[in-house]
Amino acid sequence: MHASALLFAAALTSISLDPPAMKNPVGISIGAVRLRRQHAHSFQKILQDELKQRVRWRGVDKDDPEVLTLHLPAVAAASLDDEHPELTRFLRENKGEYLPGVRKKCPTLALKPPPSPPPSPPSKKAKKDDDGSSGGFRFVELFAGIGGFRLGLERPDVGGKCVLANEIDPHAASIYRENFADSDSCLAEGDVLDLSGDNLPKFDMLVGGFPCQPFSNRGEQKGLDDDRGQLYREMARILKEGQPKCFIFENVPGLVTMDGGSRTGRVKGERPRFTPGAVFERILKTMRSCGYNVDWQVLNSRKFLPQMRERVYIIGTRIDLGPGCEKFNWDSLILKDLKEEETATVRNIMEPKDSPAVIASELTPAQLAKVKSVHSKRGTILSEDGRIDPDCKAPTLISRYHTLSSFSTKFIFEEADGTPCRRPRYLTPRECTRLMGFPEDFIVPTHEDAKATNKYYHAIGNAVCPPLISVLGMELMNCIR
């Protein structure tokens, strides 16, 4: 077995310990406490009293019958990093020990080594990577979801190869495995906090869409006060530890304007202009502190797909590689002149009206009554405000699309051939998949499996659009070659 394969097999399977007593200036605080079993409950109680919130261990190692290793939530680790007086006193008096930087062992993060490629002589015209290998680039996909980044970057004309993907949601991970035959050798299912940077495989690009819920205009917008809002720091940690050549991150445009930012109003024929708020500026500063030139832009997938989907894309190139980002041609994305068939309307992606999936997606009378009630309470009319126009772009597909109580959910009233629907219906899983630009051979659940279908709607609404990622990836790699 190649040495690189052995290194990869060891990745993520062991506890990783950062230098003792050293705070992680980039990533989320992480650590564990070694404490005799009889003191564990008392320590949990004092944590809850001092932090004024419920505390659950991220995990408990029971290797020693007398002593437990208690993996701390981030807020508790941060308090001990800051030498919280009551917590440190308790540990001192009870002969406990705080272990900063310790990451939890997680069986689902243990990966099989990737198959070694057969040796082949490099082409004389092939470009060389830093390690002497020819062609292509390797990337790590964090918050992988169902693999939208991977689909975009592994297109033959882009040339990427996923060497590690991480996803915590078991349903999304299940969809990922079903659609990528080699996922056992690259998908690490588990918490990003438990990914050890020490043994990451060699990679050229880091990609991911860190959780958007804290920044979305459709939510409470707790921002950095939401634990999920801090997960960008784990992207920064992997950047700092892996030092790839470049990165692409994605999120909702609400991230840009949060806490003092703004955007201009919608004017036909003009792109909105964004002014970053304090939260976004802080995130950009963190990425730059890892040694990268950083740039960003809000792009709309309507240029690529039959869907209106604004997202902010943050790109970065390692400083030692030169200007990088300064050469990135955003105009190639903003002003791209696509053929008409490539910017199809909803009607072009609809399934036949007699498809079993279409029939199954029709609202029941009880569901229709509930949806009408939602609109009535808002003073809106379902047939007008809840309608998807088949001859236009679809509104943004969201993770809560298949939710009756969501006002954001829009319905099909007219089939592809112009036939009026008996009752309004949801977009089918396949139609949603097409709206996002996923390939036709991407596996979606059958209409008979209601639970899997609900989970799929959530996952596809959280995904990125592969066609847009493809163009971003090609342009970014051209900047650093």
Side-chain angles (χ1 to χ4, degrees), residues 48-60:
Q48 293 178 157
D49 290 344
E50 293 299 320
L51 302 179
K52 294 180 171 49
Q53 61 180 267
R54 188 175 183 182
V55 172
R56 289 185 175 180
W57 311 128
R58 295 185 57 252
V60 179

Side-chain angles (χ1 to χ4, degrees), residues 112-244:
K112 297 177 182 178
S116 300
S120 58
S123 166
K124 292 181 180 180
K125 295 182 180 181
K127 294 183 179 181
K128 298 282 186 177
D129 288 335
D130 289 345
D131 61 355
S133 62
S134 59
F137 63 93
R138 299 161 296 272
F139 65 91
V140 166
E141 183 181 29
L142 299 183
F143 307 100
I146 59 176
F149 270 102
R150 182 171 182 178
L151 287 169
L153 296 176
E154 285 194 344
R155 262 181 32 180
D157 56 339
V158 183
K161 173 62 179 174
C162 182
V163 293
L164 172 64
N166 172 239
E167 174 55 47
I168 192 173
D169 183 270
H171 302 289
S174 176
I175 297 169
Y176 191 106
R177 287 194 194 89
E178 190 174 14
N179 281 281
F180 296 99
D182 66 342
S183 57
D184 282 346
S185 66
C186 77
L187 177 61
E189 182 183 342
D191 195 332
V192 68
L193 293 174
D194 299 318
L195 283 177
S196 168
D198 299 334
N199 296 317
L200 287 171
K202 183 177 176 59
F203 63 107
D204 305 297
M205 182 186 291
L206 180 66
V207 300
F210 52 100
C212 65
Q213 293 87 348
F215 314 111
S216 173
N217 293 328
R218 292 185 170 89
E220 297 180 47
Q221 283 201 304
K222 291 184 177 180
L224 301 182
D225 292 332
D226 187 316
D227 288 345
R228 296 168 298 178
Q230 293 288 337
L231 286 171
Y232 78 90
R233 294 169 58 189
E234 288 299 284
M235 308 283 274
R237 173 176 68 87
I238 299 299
L239 271 183
K240 190 82 169 178
E241 294 173 343
Q243 285 292 291

